[in-house]
């Protein structure tokens, strides 16, 4: 197993859901964790919680869609802790709509956060990892990155996650051999988080809520465990893909 105590991680989208759960787990494992998102109040509350448990975190206000914001957040982390060992590209949104509604602003926002955000953060950490000749980048796709339209209104969301899959696979084959950097694609199934509440479509949100009463969704902590598994694997092992779904998930 790789000893991760004292190593430095950046988690995007740490203000809720999977990212928040991952921050708690990584800090409990002794990592120094940069917790990044737009809602700074939520990050400060998380920071206090981690500190109370004896962990170490740094609040980083960041909009992953904005390369300048990502660059300055990564610089702040590297300055505070002297390294960037792990990037968990987790920030994401899931606006839902039918294509013929032409909600182009939602499409662009989804692309900017779910895909361009991954590129921005990858570009910001790579120079550090290349210099260190070590590092680990974990990108968050979804079961929707393997199958289109697992629910109505998810076509553009799915497209961004397919893009994440493709980028992640290409990244792994390029920077693994050349720079000794590991790359993992995390593909969650249904996880009980705020994501389903923020689709911009109250009917869809209600359907997600109703479904969550019918089957047992994963918790953010279940995905955080998968992240820990990948980063704690022996240094020569690249866990390249993890599909983690509820037992009862029918698709
Ligand atoms: P949440 O809505 O709870 O978390 C999303 C996080 O992303 C929040 O912390 C939010 O913070 C952050 N975020 C959104 N936009 C930006 C932005 N522009 N810049 C920085 N941070 C941003 O949902 P989940 O925890 O469920 O989602 C995490 C990831 O998991 C997403 O990529 C999602 O697609 C993926 N996923 C989730 C599944 C599920 O069933 N929940 C299933 C499959 C994949 P803030 O608003 O403060 O910026």
């Amino acid at each position: 197993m790789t000893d991760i105590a004292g190593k430095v991680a950046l988690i995007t989208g740490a203000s809720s859901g999977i990212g928040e759960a991952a921050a708690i787990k990584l800090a409990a494992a002794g990592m120094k964790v940069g917790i990044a998102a737009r809602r700074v109040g939520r990050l400060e509350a998380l920071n206090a919680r981690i500190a109370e448990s004896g962990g170490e975190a740094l609040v980083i206000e960041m909009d992953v869609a904005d390369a300048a914001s990502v660059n300055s957040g990564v610089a702040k982390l590297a300055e505070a802790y002297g390294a960037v060992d792990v990037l968990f590209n987790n920030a994401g949104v899931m606006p839902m709509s039918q294509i013929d509604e032409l909600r182009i602003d939602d499409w662009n926002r989804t692309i900017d956060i779910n895909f361009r955000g991954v590129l921005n953060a990858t570009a910001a950490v790579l120079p550090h990892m290349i210099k260190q000749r070590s590092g680990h980048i974990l990108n968050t796709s979804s079961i929707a990155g393997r199958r289109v339209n697992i629910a109505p209104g998810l076509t553009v969301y799915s497209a961004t996650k397919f893009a994440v899959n493709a980028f992640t696979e290409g990244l792994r084959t390029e920077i693994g051999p050349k720079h000794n950097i590991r790359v993992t694609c995390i593909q969650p199934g249904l996880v009980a988080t705020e994501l389903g509440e923020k689709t911009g479509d109250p009917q869809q949100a209600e359907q997600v809520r109703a479904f969550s009463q019918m089957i047992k969704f994963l918790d953010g902590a279940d995905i955080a465990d998968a992240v820990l598994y990948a980063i704690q694997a022996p240094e020569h092992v690249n866990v390249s893909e993890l599909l983690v779904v509820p037992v009862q998930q029918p698709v």
Side-chain angles (χ1 to χ4, degrees), residues 65-250:
D66 174 358
S69 165
V70 175
N71 288 337
S72 75
V74 169
K76 182 178 171 183
L77 183 72
E79 200 176 309
Y81 297 136
V84 185
D85 299 303
V86 170
L87 165 65
F88 180 26
N89 267 319
N90 161 79
V93 291
M94 189 180 71
M96 294 174 84
S97 62
Q98 300 298 309
I99 299 293
D100 59 9
E101 292 175 55
L102 300 181
R103 290 209 210 154
I104 294 166
D105 287 348
D106 275 354
W107 299 352
N108 285 332
R109 187 163 63 91
T110 311
I111 293 165
D112 284 347
I113 295 171
N114 293 8
F115 184 51
R116 198 163 279 127
V118 168
L119 300 183
N120 286 339
T122 301
V125 302
L126 263 183
H128 296 278
M129 293 181 175
I130 289 171
K131 202 163 136 206
Q132 292 163 197
R133 209 170 153 71
S134 72
H136 196 154
I137 298 173
L138 302 101
N139 294 336
T140 306
S141 175
S142 166
I143 192 162
R146 300 162 65 104
R147 298 182 58 167
V148 180
N149 257 342
I150 54 162
L154 279 183
T155 300
V156 173
Y157 176 81
S158 240
T160 62
K161 296 302 190 180
F162 270 75
V164 169
N165 284 2
F167 176 67
T168 306
E169 185 65 8
L171 185 67
R172 177 181 69 77
T173 53
E174 278 193 40
I175 66 172
K178 201 167 170 191
H179 299 295
N180 191 41
I181 296 168
R182 300 192 288 181
V183 181
T184 300
C185 191
I186 305 282
Q187 302 174 341
L190 289 160
V191 188
T193 68
E194 297 174 5
L195 198 71
E197 297 291 333
K198 298 184 285 198
T199 62
D201 181 337
Q203 245 181 331
Q204 294 289 355
E206 183 46 43
Q207 275 180 15
V208 175
R209 231 173 285 132
F211 199 49
S212 72
Q213 302 304 310
M214 291 159 62
I215 77 161
K216 168 89 180 98
F217 282 22
L218 302 178
D219 295 319
D222 297 320
I223 302 302
D225 283 336
V227 169
L228 260 181
Y229 167 73
I231 62 180
Q232 287 182 320
E235 279 174 11
H236 68 288
V237 176
N238 189 23
V239 178
S240 67
E241 205 172 279
L242 283 167
L243 171 68
V244 185
V245 301
V247 172
Q248 295 176 310
Q249 181 158 339

Side-chain angles (χ1 to χ4, degrees), residues 9-10 32-36 43 47 50 56-61 73 75-81:
L10 173 63
K32 296 170 186 161
V33 186
I35 46 177
L43 295 175
N47 190 19
I50 289 172
E56 170 79 34
L58 180 72
V59 170
I60 301 173
E61 182 173 8
K76 182 178 171 183
L77 183 72
E79 200 176 309
Y81 297 136

